[in-house]
Amino acid sequence: MASEKVSTKIGMAPGSLVYVGEEGAADICVSIIQYSRDRYTETTDADLEACRQAISEDSVTWINITGVHDPDLIGRLGQMFDLHPLVLEDMLNTEGRPKLDDYDTYLFAILKMIDYDPGQNRLDHEQVSLVVRPGLVISLQEKPGDVFDPVRERIRKGKGRIRKLGADYLAYALMDMIVDQYFLAMEQIGEQIEDLQDEVIEDPGEEIVQTIHQSRSRIIFLKKAVWPVREIIHNLLRDDTDLISDDVRVYLRDVYDHAIHVSDTVESHRDILSGVLDIYLTTVSNRMNEVMKVLTVIATIFIPLTFIAGVYGMNFDYMPELSRPWAYPALWAVFLGIFAGLLVWFKRRKWL
Amino acid sequence: MASEKVSTKIGMAPGSLVYVGEEGAADICVSIIQYSRDRYTETTDADLEACRQAISEDSVTWINITGVHDPDLIGRLGQMFDLHPLVLEDMLNTEGRPKLDDYDTYLFAILKMIDYDPGQNRLDHEQVSLVVRPGLVISLQEKPGDVFDPVRERIRKGKGRIRKLGADYLAYALMDMIVDQYFLAMEQIGEQIEDLQDEVIEDPGEEIVQTIHQSRSRIIFLKKAVWPVREIIHNLLRDDTDLISDDVRVYLRDVYDHAIHVSDTVESHRDILSGVLDIYLTTVSNRMNEVMKVLTVIATIFIPLTFIAGVYGMNFDYMPELSRPWAYPALWAVFLGIFAGLLVWFKRRKWL
Amino acid sequence: MASEKVSTKIGMAPGSLVYVGEEGAADICVSIIQYSRDRYTETTDADLEACRQAISEDSVTWINITGVHDPDLIGRLGQMFDLHPLVLEDMLNTEGRPKLDDYDTYLFAILKMIDYDPGQNRLDHEQVSLVVRPGLVISLQEKPGDVFDPVRERIRKGKGRIRKLGADYLAYALMDMIVDQYFLAMEQIGEQIEDLQDEVIEDPGEEIVQTIHQSRSRIIFLKKAVWPVREIIHNLLRDDTDLISDDVRVYLRDVYDHAIHVSDTVESHRDILSGVLDIYLTTVSNRMNEVMKVLTVIATIFIPLTFIAGVYGMNFDYMPELSRPWAYPALWAVFLGIFAGLLVWFKRRKWL
Amino acid sequence: MASEKVSTKIGMAPGSLVYVGEEGAADICVSIIQYSRDRYTETTDADLEACRQAISEDSVTWINITGVHDPDLIGRLGQMFDLHPLVLEDMLNTEGRPKLDDYDTYLFAILKMIDYDPGQNRLDHEQVSLVVRPGLVISLQEKPGDVFDPVRERIRKGKGRIRKLGADYLAYALMDMIVDQYFLAMEQIGEQIEDLQDEVIEDPGEEIVQTIHQSRSRIIFLKKAVWPVREIIHNLLRDDTDLISDDVRVYLRDVYDHAIHVSDTVESHRDILSGVLDIYLTTVSNRMNEVMKVLTVIATIFIPLTFIAGVYGMNFDYMPELSRPWAYPALWAVFLGIFAGLLVWFKRRKWL
Amino acid sequence: MASEKVSTKIGMAPGSLVYVGEEGAADICVSIIQYSRDRYTETTDADLEACRQAISEDSVTWINITGVHDPDLIGRLGQMFDLHPLVLEDMLNTEGRPKLDDYDTYLFAILKMIDYDPGQNRLDHEQVSLVVRPGLVISLQEKPGDVFDPVRERIRKGKGRIRKLGADYLAYALMDMIVDQYFLAMEQIGEQIEDLQDEVIEDPGEEIVQTIHQSRSRIIFLKKAVWPVREIIHNLLRDDTDLISDDVRVYLRDVYDHAIHVSDTVESHRDILSGVLDIYLTTVSNRMNEVMKVLTVIATIFIPLTFIAGVYGMNFDYMPELSRPWAYPALWAVFLGIFAGLLVWFKRRKWL
Ligand SMILES: [Mg+2]
Ligand SMILES: [Mg+2]
Ligand SMILES: [Mg+2]
Ligand SMILES: [Mg+2]
Ligand SMILES: [Mg+2]
Ligand SMILES: [Mg+2]
Ligand SMILES: [Mg+2]
Ligand SMILES: [Mg+2]
Ligand SMILES: [Mg+2]
Ligand SMILES: [Mg+2]
Ligand SMILES: [Mg+2]
Ligand SMILES: [Mg+2]
Ligand SMILES: [Mg+2]
Ligand SMILES: [Mg+2]
Ligand SMILES: [Mg+2]
Ligand SMILES: [Mg+2]
Ligand SMILES: [Mg+2]
Ligand SMILES: [Mg+2]
Ligand SMILES: [Mg+2]
Ligand SMILES: [Mg+2]
Ligand SMILES: [Mg+2]
Ligand SMILES: [Mg+2]
Ligand SMILES: [Mg+2]
Ligand SMILES: [Mg+2]
Ligand SMILES: [Mg+2]
Ligand SMILES: [Mg+2]
Ligand SMILES: [Mg+2]
Ligand SMILES: [Mg+2]
Ligand SMILES: [Mg+2]
Ligand SMILES: [Mg+2]
Ligand SMILES: [Mg+2]
């Protein structure tokens, strides 16, 4: 995948608008949803000019932009809504860390939206930026497709509290969707770990280490995505910003609980995973022990016997035993005696 | 086990009442216990309407609901007692993380109740939600059977302080029962670990790794259940909520001590467990060493001897040694000399 | 050892007086020491009634009770001195965690007293509960024998500051004795670790892993005993309780230093121990390598030679080499050549 | 590399001006850039006297000194700008830890500038000291070449905000450049780790451990460089120094985000690296298992067969089997039977 | 080394003056240095009485006592300067933990002075106690020889600020010397680790594990010595004691930086060390793999061939192959074919 890296930005002035992310992204698409308690309009494929006109004092406007690879568009957006250059820069950098900045008249948040496809066992992600102002939420995402459809549906149908509350509630609803999606990924990892636990006890193959590694990497990724969310909401709950109403703070506490839950579970998944690896490594050691025991038993029994047979295969002229008629059967008795004696010894050592 | 997962809720409005937990749960059963210093009534199989009527100003009412898989019932409960939609949502989600939320007029707590059966070595758990209001405690649990019978008994018999104190004391008593049960599980894990320590020193088998893993998983589970309880009570002790009286705070401090004790012990159990695994792994290594030494001693002694025997089994026409009468006995002397020499060498290397 | 477990208490009302600890404990024995600057009386085998009468305003009374398995006695003690039911419950539970509770008119502390016997290498412990009130210290211990004799001696002889200061100083002196004893155990562990370090480098046997495990378990135990002491004294130093005078706070700071010192040393002992285990495991690996090399050298040299000897032991009618007179000496040259060549190769690979 | 070590300074008076760092450093070179909103001058190879004259009230002066091995020069610099002796000492010690000291009239910061050359896979670093005063930034670096050219370019071209803002913004811009460079190193490490993950799964060679070690060492270095930067900026953001304006604080928050991002990523890289090592070690174990199985299969099959052949190679006069015409074919049947039987047994054990 | 242990003190009254440390310590030696801006006197082998007289209001007096094994002397020192009994006790206990106690009219500090001898690779240490009062510093050390000579020299020559500032600056200068010495030890450890990194990659011998263990133990020791110093100075910087002037606080900040630097570096050294151990263990595993492969290749090739040779060495009367003239050469073809085939197979498996 060709991609623009963060390092390409090194040396640019702060606030320089340069896209950082995968290239060849899809067309940019702007959609506007506007609603109040009793009105609701939706515009897809809007242009930015439409955005400015859309805003009105008695309704909530949600501008959703898919595709952030056009610095021009982001620049115009910034001018239109008077956003700080650093905000614009962060919008264009899809490799950012989740965070929340309070710019007094608006809040700016970065989150990682997971797109987990259980069918294909693929864990994709994209960055979502949110600008929250009284009456306005702007969301930016990298690629078409998101986890916000249920929110859109609730707005359309007027279900729940969403049409009755402000932009802060809408922002909460979007964050909630994103964090809920982490549960899906976490559950899948949990199931993978349970399968691993079963498999490692029955008959683990070599590929198990790679599955453990995949689970571990996903856990590390999830942790990196969800950990800052705790911080973000913790700050929002403590903070004295007027941009979040007390009603919505109760809801944010709920997202906070979920974020803590995910990161706790992620931590205990990790602990269990390392236990699974321990079992596997012990299994490998024990198998090696098995193999070595078989070899040692066979070799310890037959090598001395072979030596004795070799002795009586020697061609010395003077070997008195060779001419005794009872010698051959007697030797077989010796062979069997050694064989049985060693078997008993191995039994005692619990090698058999 | 068929079960409704958290992920099935993704996309729903916050406060959507959807059951998350094991399916096929038993019938829902509502019971009411009401008491004051000198009165006491108990109703089993009550309906919700009875609940509303039960509440009176000069007594404590404890509504216990077994089975939380009916969103309807929970919804009516919410309306009846004016609970926040997020509280109702959490009641229906049996996969929540233990926590405490202060809703000013009532407290809402989630706890994990352990049901440890030492006979069958089974560690089951279910979620308990508590709503605490002046004069009222509502407890919700997933399945029939709980650890609260001693509390019921104390209420019935008027034993202890319970009939003289308020709903906050009742809530404390329930939490205390739940935390006390953690001790039982912890003691059992402790004994399992002591058995493991004995076994690993005597003659550990391969299955020991799985027992270690089981103990470890239980420790991780217990830790996840008990850790948030510390937080919850810490907050209650610090907090300025009027819902908890100072008398009861002293008792909460006791539960706090127990929660800390459990989590400390869990931590040290874990340390010791990892030491047990170390011993086992070293034992496996040392055993392999033993096996290899036996193989090496046998092979090192007999392989050269077999070679010599092979030499004198060759059929060359001209092999002067073969015709010497002393050659065969001399060769046996050589055999025995090599044998003894190697034995001495192995003794010196401490392989024998 | 038959013992009453914590779990037997599950379900009892808080403050229920039930003994938790080893059964078959010795007789209960109450002793009273009373002193002021110029007076001193000592009563052994006192009864509780004597305690009540003993207390006077211008002297310090120290009631020491050995044996806490009698709930009745503890119950009467509680009534006599107006102690909270939870305090009495904790006194009877010998499995408690070290802690300090401030009940405004008195302090209640739980500590773990170590009884280390260097001769028998036995690390025993018992629980000590302390109640501290102006002019009164009550100490409870599980078994006869304690580390307080030096304090008794100082009181008797009027040595040091003890006769000039109050009950808070006496309580400090007892805590100091307990923490000093931790040093003894810690020093012993330190010496065990030094021995282990020497042994692991010279010629470690298999039993070393068990010694490492024993040291580790003791470290874990010491840590669990001493860590809460830090907390306890930290709280006492910060706290605004009037029960501790400023003079005594300076002395508590000294105990605090010691507690920190013990827990720091315990931490570094632990680090070094895990290094010792690393060395041992590497030694085991290296030894296995040695064994394998010996086997491989012998087998690699003699197996091909034995094959060649086997070839000329075959009984084909047409094997021209067999009839050449130089063939047998030539073959010995080949044998020696292969032998020498392989020796050189092994030398080069540093296997010899 | 000859170098002056920190230890050579032991025993000197604080503030003693002694160079600590690599010897044979290049010539010292002083350059001055001075600018205001509409003016801009640049002097290379300036002398210190020029510096003093350069400073004017209505412009920002940036004095950059390359090469800090001349205590004399640093001493004169100190006198000229009234710097604390400890500042001068730190300037000469290139082994310092990143930090920020507030000397009321000026700020003094130490940072580590990374010079990563992706072509040669070389990670070099040098120390940068910054003195920030109203209207003046002094930067000192060890060697020619730095990451500040983009800042110089922006000043020259008047791009961005730099010409409009003060010395604090210039200091921010330099810190931003330094932290941006950490991303480059971090990305490279990230790619190295991804390569390692691919390689370890396909066919890892022994050299992989060294690559893992190199990545790990770089991660440790990066962490040591970036961690204190978090602290530094955190302090600047909290602090009440007047030397940083509120406008610039917003920008510092951006550098802060980046520093956190780098240290988070460094942490997760580290986790993944240790997972890669786990896979590699398991692969080594599994390979050994493979080798041992081949040996055991071959030896277990042929050692008994060889013994039987040896038996019938013995020269006893009386061995009745030898004269039966069907004996030889019958023995081949036995050989093949044993061979096949063992093959089946190995198949069942999954060794083949 | 005979030594008095901490445990010998158990049971003594707090403030009991008993020496804890190595026995057979050298003679006690008291020296006094007194100076002001323009005066300077030095007395070696002074007695305590001289100390009392030495003190004057307009000069700084530094009393240095070498040898702390005489409780009497320490007792008289305590009386002379009115020191708390606990201070005297700590002075006599050379096994104390670094700490700082504020006794309002004086400060008391304990530090660990390292005496690193790079020539002999020996890391020795002794305890230094400091009492700091306006116009007076008392330093106590265990053995002759210290790291303070440069300070003495600066006082004698009047170099630096030392003659112009008070006792607090002198105390700082002594602490600075002690912390500077940690750098020397740390640098040496750093070099040892770099050597280890080189060695482990080239051709590591078994003794490397012991060198790693030595480095690790030193790191643990350094950490224990330096960590509390951070705390001590942090407290001094925050504290509102009048005993430290603001001028000196700036200097203490410098020591603080150094203490942090040492403990950071110690931490990263430790990380790298554990990486070196990982490489070594992998090397051991890979070597074992090499050895096993050689054995397996040789055995797998020759064991079947030897079997075939054994077959044709059998003495059956009826073995038709034996009489065919082409049989022997044909068998050699079979031998070579098997040999070549196995070589190819081993090549494919990358064992050769
Ligand atoms: Mg930038
Ligand atoms: Mg921020
Ligand atoms: Mg991306
Ligand atoms: Mg999208
Ligand atoms: Mg949610
Ligand atoms: Mg939801
Ligand atoms: Mg919720
Ligand atoms: Mg459940
Ligand atoms: Mg909460
Ligand atoms: Mg809350
Ligand atoms: Mg239930
Ligand atoms: Mg309890
Ligand atoms: Mg209690
Ligand atoms: Mg209880
Ligand atoms: Mg006990
Ligand atoms: Mg408490
Ligand atoms: Mg006792
Ligand atoms: Mg003490
Ligand atoms: Mg002390
Ligand atoms: Mg210095
Ligand atoms: Mg500082
Ligand atoms: Mg450098
Ligand atoms: Mg440079
Ligand atoms: Mg930047
Ligand atoms: Mg940014
Ligand atoms: Mg003492
Ligand atoms: Mg202190
Ligand atoms: Mg010492
Ligand atoms: Mg000395
Ligand atoms: Mg210094
Ligand atoms: Mg400095």
Side-chain angles (χ1 to χ4, degrees), chain A residues 224-275:
Chain A
K224 258 176 76 179
V226 81
W227 196 262
V229 173
R230 295 171 61 150
E231 241 171 81
I232 289 172
I233 305 180
H234 192 78
N235 287 346
L236 276 181
L237 289 175
R238 295 246 159 152
D239 226 357
D240 43 307
T241 178
D242 300 330
L243 296 162
I244 305 290
S245 65
D246 279 356
D247 277 2
V248 172
R249 269 178 226 267
V250 175
Y251 288 95
L252 281 174
R253 209 169 53 176
D254 188 60
V255 183
Y256 185 63
D257 287 345
H258 294 182
I260 291 182
H261 194 167
V262 170
S263 50
D264 271 21
T265 308
V266 143
E267 214 56 56
S268 65
H269 279 358
R270 183 186 197 132
D271 269 7
I272 291 177
L273 252 193
S274 85

Side-chain angles (χ1 to χ4, degrees), chain C residues 41-299:
Chain C
T41 62
E42 188 165 357
T43 323
T44 46
D45 282 314
D47 65 5
L48 268 194
E49 208 41 45
C51 292
R52 195 206 301 266
Q53 293 161 0
I55 291 160
S56 82
E57 243 174 44
D58 54 348
S59 65
V60 177
T61 308
W62 172 18
I63 302 172
N64 179 52
I65 299 174
T66 300
V68 292
H69 46 278
D70 182 0
D72 256 27
L73 183 105
I74 301 298
R76 279 184 291 135
L77 189 79
Q79 281 183 322
M80 201 172 283
F81 297 107
D82 197 25
L83 303 175
H84 196 281
L86 289 171
V87 166
L88 305 180
E89 190 185 13
D90 285 348
M91 284 173 169
L92 283 160
N93 176 3
T94 66
E95 300 290 335
R97 185 182 179 266
K99 67 156 181 172
L100 175 94
D101 285 330
D102 182 347
Y103 283 92
D104 289 339
T105 55
Y106 58 94
L107 298 171
F108 175 63
I110 293 180
L111 293 165
K112 296 292 174 186
M113 179 162 68
I114 283 182
D115 177 21
Y116 176 62
D117 178 347
Q120 292 192 35
N121 189 16
R122 254 172 49 97
L123 184 64
D124 228 1
H125 65 274
E126 64 181 305
Q127 178 163 304
V128 172
S129 313
L130 293 178
V131 172
V132 186
R133 231 174 59 172
L136 176 66
V137 170
I138 308 173
S139 62
L140 294 102
Q141 41 179 291
E142 294 177 54
K143 291 175 286 193
D146 58 30
V147 299
F148 300 150
D149 281 338
V151 176
R152 291 190 186 93
E153 209 51 35
R154 267 145 57 195
I155 296 175
R156 283 180 200 128
K157 303 248 167 89
K159 275 204 321 198
R161 276 146 235 92
I162 199 158
R163 290 269 286 270
K164 292 160 207 143
L165 291 160
D168 50 350
Y169 187 86
L170 175 57
Y172 146 72
L174 299 179
M175 288 179 66
D176 184 41
M177 286 300 111
I178 288 170
V179 172
D180 279 2
Q181 201 73 11
Y182 297 163
F183 273 92
L184 184 61
M186 196 190 69
E187 273 177 9
Q188 184 275 336
I189 294 171
E191 276 163 33
Q192 205 176 31
I193 288 173
E194 267 177 39
D195 290 354
L196 279 170
Q197 292 194 72
D198 292 348
E199 196 191 332
V200 85
I201 280 169
E202 279 159 36
D203 180 38
E206 286 189 32
E207 78 299 336
I208 210 176
V209 190
Q210 279 148 45
T211 318
I212 291 173
H213 189 66
Q214 192 200 38
S215 290
R216 202 170 171 180
S217 301
R218 286 190 176 175
I219 283 172
I220 291 168
F221 172 76
L222 250 184
K223 195 179 151 191
K224 257 176 77 179
V226 80
W227 196 263
V229 174
R230 295 171 62 150
E231 241 172 81
I232 289 173
I233 306 181
H234 193 77
N235 287 348
L236 277 181
L237 289 175
R238 295 247 159 151
D239 226 356
D240 44 307
T241 178
D242 300 329
L243 295 161
I244 305 290
S245 64
D246 279 357
D247 276 3
V248 172
R249 268 177 227 268
V250 176
Y251 288 94
L252 282 173
R253 208 170 54 177
D254 187 60
V255 184
Y256 184 63
D257 287 346
H258 294 181
I260 292 182
H261 194 166
V262 170
S263 52
D264 272 23
T265 309
V266 143
E267 215 54 58
S268 64
H269 278 357
R270 183 186 196 130
D271 268 9
I272 290 178
L273 253 192
S274 87
V276 170
L277 189 64
D278 283 347
I279 297 188
Y280 178 65
L281 287 173
T282 318
T283 306
V284 170
S285 280
N286 277 321
R287 275 182 191 169
M288 181 108 71
N289 242 337
E290 269 329 287
V291 173
M292 294 310 304
K293 275 182 197 166
V294 167
L295 174 60
T296 302
V297 165
I298 293 294

Side-chain angles (χ1 to χ4, degrees), chain E residues 23-202:
Chain E
E23 265 184 80
D27 283 353
I28 291 173
C29 170
V30 178
S31 72
I32 305 173
I33 291 180
Q34 198 171 30
Y35 61 86
S36 64
R37 203 174 266 263
D38 32 58
R39 259 180 325 113
Y40 160 75
T41 63
E42 189 164 357
T43 323
T44 46
D45 282 314
D47 65 6
L48 269 194
E49 209 41 45
C51 292
R52 195 205 301 267
Q53 292 162 359
I55 291 160
S56 82
E57 243 174 45
D58 56 346
S59 65
V60 176
T61 307
W62 172 19
I63 300 173
N64 179 52
I65 299 175
T66 300
V68 292
H69 47 278
D70 181 0
D72 256 27
L73 182 104
I74 302 298
R76 277 183 291 136
L77 189 78
Q79 281 183 321
M80 201 171 283
F81 296 107
D82 197 26
L83 303 174
H84 196 282
L86 289 170
V87 165
L88 305 181
E89 191 184 12
D90 285 348
M91 284 173 168
L92 284 159
N93 175 2
T94 66
E95 300 290 336
R97 184 181 180 266
K99 68 156 181 173
L100 175 93
D101 286 331
D102 183 346
Y103 284 91
D104 290 338
T105 54
Y106 59 95
L107 297 171
F108 175 64
I110 292 180
L111 293 165
K112 296 292 174 186
M113 180 162 67
I114 282 182
D115 177 20
Y116 177 62
D117 177 348
Q120 291 193 35
N121 190 14
R122 254 170 50 95
L123 184 64
D124 229 359
H125 65 277
E126 64 181 305
Q127 178 163 306
V128 172
S129 313
L130 292 179
V131 173
V132 185
R133 231 174 59 172
L136 175 67
V137 170
I138 307 173
S139 61
L140 291 102
Q141 42 179 292
E142 294 177 55
K143 290 175 286 193
D146 59 30
V147 300
F148 300 150
D149 282 338
V151 176
R152 291 189 187 94
E153 209 51 35
R154 266 144 59 195
I155 296 176
R156 283 179 200 129
K157 304 248 168 90
K159 276 203 320 200
R161 278 145 234 94
I162 200 159
R163 290 269 286 271
K164 292 161 208 142
L165 290 161
D168 51 350
Y169 187 86
L170 175 58
Y172 146 72
L174 299 179
M175 288 179 65
D176 184 43
M177 286 300 112
I178 288 170
V179 172
D180 278 3
Q181 201 73 12
Y182 297 161
F183 274 92
L184 183 60
M186 195 189 69
E187 273 177 8
Q188 185 274 338
I189 293 170
E191 275 163 33
Q192 205 176 30
I193 289 173
E194 267 177 39
D195 290 354
L196 279 170
Q197 293 194 74
D198 292 349
E199 196 191 333
V200 86
I201 280 168
E202 280 159 35

